[in-house]
Structures are given as C-alpha cells and as structure tokens.
Amino acid sequence: MLSLRPLLPVLLAVVLAGPAGTTLPARAADAVADGIETSRTGRQIAPGIRLESYDRLEADRWLRIDELRVELGGSGGVRAEYLGGHGPATVGDTAARHRAGPGRRVVAAVNGDFFDIRGTGAPLGPGLGGGRLLHSAASGPGAAPAVGLGADGTGRVLRIGLDGSVTLPGGAVRPLIGYNAARPARGGLSAYTADHPGAQLPAVGIAVPVRDGRVTAAAASVRGPARRRRPAPGTTLLTAPAGGASAAELAALRPGDAVAVAARALPDAGPVPAAAVGGREALVVAGVPQDHDGEPNNAAAPRTAVGFSRDGRRLRILTVDGRQRDSGGLTLTELGRMMHRLGAYEALNLDGGGSSTLLAALSGATALTLENSPSDGRQRPVPNGLVLTAPAGSGRTTGYRIEPAGGTAEDLTRVFPGLTRTLTATGYDALLGPAPEAPVWSADGAGTVDAAGVFHAVRAGRATAHARRATAHGALPLQVLGPLTRIRPTPARIGLAEPGETAGFRLIGYDGQGAAAVVEPRDVALEFDRSRWNVTEDGRGGFTVTALVPRATGRLHATVRAAAVRGAAAVRGATAVSGPSVDIPLGVGLETLPLADLADAAAWTGPGAVPAEGHAGAGLALDLPRAAGRASAAAPRPLPVPELARSLTLWVGGDGSGARPAVELTDADGAAVTVSGPVADWTGWREVTLALPATAQPPLTVTRLSAKAGSGPGRVVLDTLGARTPPTGPAAEPVVRDPIVATGAGVWAKPWRFAVEPPGGSRAGGGDAGADFVLTGADGPEFVHRGVRFLPLDTTEPTLGGGGLHRMRALRKALAATAREPATGALAVVRAHAPVTVDRKETALTAQLLAEFRRTTGKRAAVITLGAPGFTAGRSEGVLSVAAPRTGRTVVGVDAFAPADWLAVRPAS
C-alpha cells in the first residue's frame, strides 16, 4: 500500500530542524537522525491527547510513524488503563467492549505485551487492572518489565514480580510461583482464576479448585499435563506439575479443607501501580537510550513503544510500521533513540511485528479509527493492551467535523464543475466527544450545498462548506477544478474468483492540467450485464462489483452523466451532450495461464540446477546435497505474472526427502518476494498451488525457482509453472495528446530552446538546431538558464540505498532557491529513466513536492526524463512531464514566464 500523508509547507525546508530551530546532528549509526521527514498530519483526540502521524525517508528505508502525545491526569483528566479480556481479540474489538466508567469514554488504544501466540494466547508478562493483579509473568515469581500507571495518573517503567502464598491445612505456607501465568512454572504451585487472560489455560498436572477458602473437589488422578477449564468467577484453581512434592500436597487435599491463596504484585520500587502492562526490552533508561546491537530482536521490524517523561506526567505511545515497502520498521536501538528524541526519560518496547496496532478517536466519533498499517494487512488478535480514557463531555454541540464520504484524501476534497461531493458533518462537544445534533448546511465560493450535505460545484475556484447549529460551526475547504476532460478507473480491471466475491473500484477524473478528483456514483451512469454482475455504491465515493455466476467475462461501461456535464458547460457558455466515459473489463472464475513449461531447463542456471525428465517432457531438477541446504535456478529471462493472478501453480516431483520448493519474484519496485510451496514429503508428481501475498505490489515477475532441503539430502524436479488468474480482457488506455506536444513552428515560437539526446552529460552552447544547449545526461551540475533552474538528479543509486535521501535533499534545496528568486520562474528536474532504481513512493513524493511548489508559489515545474523507452508528454497537477527516448533528438521550446504552457515539445524523429 502506497502511503503519502498530506504534505505541509515545511516540505520546502532545506534542512530538518530540531528544537528551537537547531539542525539535528548527523549520526551514521542512527538512521532515524539521518533521515528527513516527508509529511506530517496531526489532530487533537481529546483534551490532553494529540495524535501526530508522519512519514520519514531514511537512507535505507521509508518509515510510517504514529505518535500519541498524552498529558496524564491534569485538567484533561486522561487515564491510561489495562485493556484486555479472555483470550486474544483485535485491539479494536477489545476497546469497543472496554468499560470506561461513569462519565468517561474510550479515546485511544494500543496493543500490549508479548504473548504465548502458539499456545494459550496469554500475555507473557505481568498485568494489573483496576488496582488488582490480573496475571504474573510467564515463569516464576521473578520481576519482569512493565509500564505502570499510578492512582495519581503518573506513569513509569518498572519491574513487577509476584508476592504470593498458599496456606495449607495445618498452617503450612508454600510460595505461589505463578498467578494466571501464560505457562505454568516447572516446580511449585500456580493459581488460575476467571481473570486468566488467555484463550485457554495451559496444560497442567494436578489441579484442585478452591472457593471461599475451601477446597471444593479433590484432585483427579493424572499422569501428565492436561488442559483444564477456566475457573468460574470466585474459584481459584491451584495447580502443580505431576510427580513433585507440590503435586503430592495438592493430591492430599479433600473437599472442605481450608486453603488460603494470596497473590499481589511486587514492584521493584515505589507503590503498586493501578494498571500495568508487560513489555520486554528497555529502550530508554534514566534518560539514556539503550544499545541493543547484537541482540536477537534487534532487526528492523514493526514496533510499539511506550515512554514517559521524567516526572511521569507526559506519556508517549509510538507505533512504527514495518515489513512493508512503504515502511521498513526500526531496530530496538533505533527505536530507543527515537523515543529519547521525543522526550522519553524511560521507555519500554511492547509487542511488535504483526501485533503493532494503534487506534484513536475522531472528533465526535463513537468508535475508534485504526491509525497505523499492521504488517499482517489487518489487526492481529492480541490478549491485552493499553487504553486511554477521558471525560465524556456534555453532549452539547460546540463544533462540527466535516469530511467527504470516503475519507479526507485530497482527491475527495476536490470536485469538477457540474459534479457533486457528498459531505458528512459529525458534531462534537467541548471535550471532542459525540454530539449528535444535525447541522444546517451552507457554502460560499465556487459552489452550493443542499440540505442533505451534497456539495454542487458551479465553477472553477475555491469553496468552503459550512455546517452550523446555533453557535456550533464547522468548515471544510474544497477546490473546484477545471472542467472534466477524462476519467480513469482504479483499479483498471476487476477479476473475481467465484460467485459472491466482491471487489471495489473508483472513477478518477482529470481536468486539463491533470489535477485529479474522485467522480461520485451519483454523477455516473453504468451499463453492464446485470445477469452476471451486481454493481452498487459503496458509500465511500466508489462502487462494489459482485459476481453472480461462476464463470464469465464482460465489460462495465461508465459515463459521466450528461446532465452534470451540461450544467458545467452552461456555466462556460457552451453545450455538451455527454461526459467522458471508460470501459472496465470484468472477469469471474480462475484459469491457469502458462508462465514457463521448463522445456528450456538447460537455460535455467544456478547451484544444484540440472535438466531432468519432467512431468510432461523436460523438467528442472534441483539437487540438495545436505540438510537445510538450498538450490536455485535463475530464469533465462524475466517471466511476468498476470497482474490479477491469485496464485501460482507448479508441478513438483518429490523423492520423499521433505524438500520445500519455492518461486522467487520481484515486485513493481524490484523488491524480492518469495512464495513457498508445501514440504515435498511424497514420491512422484503433484501439482501444488502457491498463494501470492496480497501485500505484494504488482506487476510481479518470476526471477528464480528454488528449494530448501529437509532433514537430509534430496532432489525435487519442477515442471510447468502457471498462474491462476481471473479471465478479463485488457484495460482500455485512452490516448491523450498533451497540448505541449507541438510542431516545429510551435517550438520556435518560444523565446528559446534546448535539446535532449543520449547519452553522456549536459553541455551548454549546443547551438545547432537553434538550441541554447543539449542535455545528454542527468549527472551534471545544477544551473539556471533564462529563468529556469535545471536540477539534474542522479538516479543510479536506489531509493532505499541512499539515493532517495540525496535526491530529496537536493530537490528541497532547489525548490527553496527557486521560490525565493524573482528572476527564476520555473524548476525543471532532469533525471535518467530508472523505474527500478527510483521506487514508486519517491516518484510520488517528487510529484507532490513539485505540485505543492506550483500551488504555493505560482511558478512552473517540469520533470524531464532521459533515455525512456519511448516519447511521452503530459501533466499531473499542473506539473509538466517530458520523457525523451533513447534515440533521436527531442527539442523543447521554453518560456519560463508564459501565461499558459511554458514548454512546447517536438518529439524526436
């Protein structure tokens, strides 16, 4: 998922400034200090709680970070409490069930402790809620790390042990070494109650129930560990491993015997906290970030961390997305340095990976919103967490939060003349809690709003929608773009596997400057075969397609309604009979498309790869000479995978050795993706299916076949690689000829010209064909010529190999310089064609920076790409783009201060 949060004017800054405007020092060992912030958004969650979300580009990764800044106690009345129940559930579900107490509401939540993910599902560390011990750490009474919240509202990082005892008949006292722990201790007595936070109790040996200080049943005879039911409320289950002294003492108990069980939390210092959640690694200790280099958990990964200021009044909760192309995660060492930079005097690492989850409230909302992007693609069920609660407020409306249906993305706050945008207004009270009074709508500027909150765009320009009720008010700025010129569906094709499966799409419209906005369903007429498909509005500005039959192909024809376009045309004093249209290919059912029959097995090269007899004709054998060894074979040429493919198929000939075959691919950014098949513990041939991960960014390309040995040497033979794909036709790509593509006369009409031809560097004074200079490469110095600043960007270094960081710094510096120079009217970025080296997110960020520059300064911007496969020219958000081919000469006429298009381009002949 490509993520670029809304940009701020700070993006034009040359350096990243620290507190009081100081420049942060570069530290080679600290990735998070060397990168640059690329975007930031923030909002108030409740009095005393603010959410800051930001993206960063480091030398070797992108980062997406969400940070809750919390003032505990104080005038805001914010509390942090234990969040959990009986067994793992998503943070969202558990937070929705949390009882905040009279006059309070839940405003944010985050995942908590590491847990017994393959066993009981219970947390591995200690937990306290409501001043009570809920569970001790997983093994023994020793103290374990946790974040604790005191009754006075302050927080701290501490260690919590178990102070527990069991008093047997006759007065003998035995230590209690586990209380609702995820795993029973190896020796001694453990206790389990209805508070046990796991999905099930661990397997225990002997067990005796105790209620109201009396044994209620004798221990059953056991030979080994066994599962037990969760005790009823008020009952404590005493357990001990079978065969030991503790087991014998429990076995001797009879119904009615007096047994007292005591358990309380034992902090390493200070009072017992009112709430606590376990964690693992200390990140900041007494103001010093900790070094975890060399430790096993120090790889870059998704992270959740909690930190406190020295006085414990300021809480920082941080999630960092990871294991995604858009966000590579942090090591523990980097996470500690980041928490220290954010002001943590002490900080603790909580569970990360797929568990990292942060939710926060929107003003006036009754449910929480997921803020981060969990690496599993969805919220993982976890056993506990931290929840923030705040005073509920009066419910009297003091303001409105207005947003377009479908979210706050920029293309939803824009609309085309004659078209509409559905708005919603959510009332909130003085404490940002729900206030359900309906508003009265109005608008000023380039459109109107009806009583249902639907904005109707009238003419190009700015508009503001207003929602009011008495003194309560909310406003949303909107932009009415130029007239709609074309529409494009996203995605371009819909492929479904079976009846009942659904997929969504939106229609994106463009004006003459390439500015984009979503076109709402109410402004669109659809034509499709209703016996095969059902298409409905999704309530978020798009459509949902449902397959009605098991196998079919077809097309959906979408047209912007003529009435809407005529309304816009009337404003312009013209007539229009229909709006732009587009066809969307549809398909349902899966068919196997061949990728490689491996008849050319001799051309697949790699260690252990040899041609062999296949399932049908020639095949490829991978010999694995030792246990856990690997063999692989590189494809003689890249094998593109159909973009809608759900899975790959592969014939595998096994010898029973337990080798595991795999297919290795690259995604759209060149990142490696490996899909593994089942362990080949069979003899003979089987066709296996390898599911493609939903998070992989298409198009995918097969680069290699490989296998990993089992417990010993072996061989697998591979044959006939295919892709299971819904059957759809190709997407229609309309041919758009941009006005900057001109004849020679149009180019000569500009005040001056430059030329582009391969290869080498840029050189001045290229005067032939009337050009002031010739660009033959993007490795020369930055220069200004006749009102245009030319910025060559070296694209030989990958985005996530340091190149992106260098290029973004250079671009920011050039944008700032161009903005402040009265004699410079335009910036032209010059770069070589490098679609693999420069990733999609860097490309999108470059485009956004240039578009923001154009909007805020009124100056011009363009991207000149050298050595492209073919000539193209166009524009996006008013930023012009020219791709010059690898052969021939492209001539560009220039007028940096022209009132209309400032470039005119004659393609290479």
Side-chain angles (χ1 to χ4, degrees), residues 29 161 285 380 764:
V285 176
R380 172 187 287 177

Side-chain angles (χ1 to χ4, degrees), residues 624-629 657-659 709-715:
L624 300 152
R626 65 182 184 279
S657 65
S711 57
R715 163 183 272 211

Side-chain angles (χ1 to χ4, degrees), residues 882-903:
V882 177
R886 297 168 184 152
T887 58
R889 166 175 285 206
T890 302
V891 182
V892 183
V894 185
D895 183 351
F897 301 95
D901 286 337
W902 65 284
L903 295 182

Side-chain angles (χ1 to χ4, degrees), residues 744-762:
V747 171
W748 275 95
K750 297 292 185 182
W752 66 277
R753 285 148 297 285
F754 68 91
V756 183
E757 63 181 32
S762 63

Side-chain angles (χ1 to χ4, degrees), residues 125-514:
L128 287 85
R132 295 189 305 114
L133 176 66
L134 301 176
H135 52 88
S136 65
S139 56
V147 291
L149 290 306
D152 63 351
T154 61
R156 71 190 197 270
V157 175
L158 72 164
R159 298 184 70 86
I160 299 176
L162 171 63
D163 181 12
S165 64
V166 177
T167 304
L168 299 171
V173 179
R174 301 289 181 257
L176 186 69
I177 61 174
Y179 186 77
N180 285 328
R183 299 164 186 162
R186 295 186 178 182
L189 298 173
S190 295
Y192 292 93
T193 73
D195 286 332
H196 183 257
Q200 58 185 0
L201 297 188
V204 297
I206 193 167
V208 173
V210 176
R211 186 178 184 90
D212 297 328
R214 299 285 176 178
V215 175
T216 60
S221 177
V222 295
R223 293 185 177 179
R227 294 285 181 191
R228 309 285 176 171
R229 290 184 179 179
R230 182 190 304 277
T235 296
T236 299
L237 194 67
L238 279 175
T239 71
S246 296
E249 288 183 313
L250 290 185
L253 296 175
R254 294 293 177 263
D257 284 350
V259 174
V261 180
R264 68 182 186 91
L266 184 63
D268 57 353
V272 175
V277 170
R280 186 175 290 172
E281 295 89 355
L283 300 173
V284 183
V285 176
V288 179
Q290 302 299 289
D291 186 350
H292 292 275
D293 289 355
E295 297 178 11
N297 193 29
N298 199 41
R303 299 290 182 184
T304 300
V306 173
F308 299 98
S309 60
R310 189 165 189 168
D311 63 4
R313 291 290 181 186
R314 293 186 298 280
L315 165 66
R316 293 291 182 268
I317 298 175
L318 193 79
T319 58
V320 182
D321 294 341
R323 297 174 187 161
Q324 303 169 51
R325 190 67 173 173
D326 279 1
S327 188
L330 289 178
T331 67
L332 290 173
T333 301
E334 292 163 348
L335 182 63
R337 289 172 178 163
M338 177 171 282
M339 292 298 290
H340 180 251
R341 257 185 34 204
L342 295 174
Y345 184 74
E346 50 188 13
L348 186 68
N349 181 49
L350 303 187
D351 191 13
S355 299
S356 285
T357 308
L358 188 147
L359 298 102
L362 293 164
S363 300
T366 56
L368 303 184
T369 299
L370 179 64
E371 299 295 340
N372 75 318
S373 296
S375 62
D376 291 349
R378 60 188 180 279
Q379 293 187 54
R380 172 187 287 177
V382 296
N384 69 358
L386 281 173
V387 62
L388 301 180
T389 68
S394 65
R396 292 189 296 273
T397 307
T398 60
Y400 287 96
R401 173 174 52 86
I402 305 177
E403 61 184 13
T408 57
E410 185 178 38
D411 58 7
L412 284 165
T413 60
R414 296 168 160 188
V415 62
F416 296 100
L419 304 190
T420 61
R421 181 68 67 230
T422 302
L423 306 177
T424 62
T426 304
Y428 56 85
D429 62 22
L431 300 183
L432 305 183
E437 290 183 295
V440 175
W441 290 94
S442 64
D444 51 44
T448 62
V449 177
D450 63 24
V454 178
F455 177 78
H456 299 260
V458 175
R459 62 184 181 276
R462 297 285 178 177
T464 303
H466 301 274
R468 289 186 172 89
R469 168 71 65 178
T471 60
H473 174 245
L476 177 69
L478 296 163
Q479 181 182 7
V480 182
L481 302 175
L484 178 66
T485 61
R486 60 187 175 95
I487 57 174
R488 177 180 64 85
T490 177
R493 297 182 293 159
I494 300 292
L496 304 169
E498 58 189 5
E501 185 174 314
T502 62
F505 73 92
R506 281 180 170 179
L507 292 174
I508 309 299
Y510 298 88
D511 68 7
Q513 288 296 319

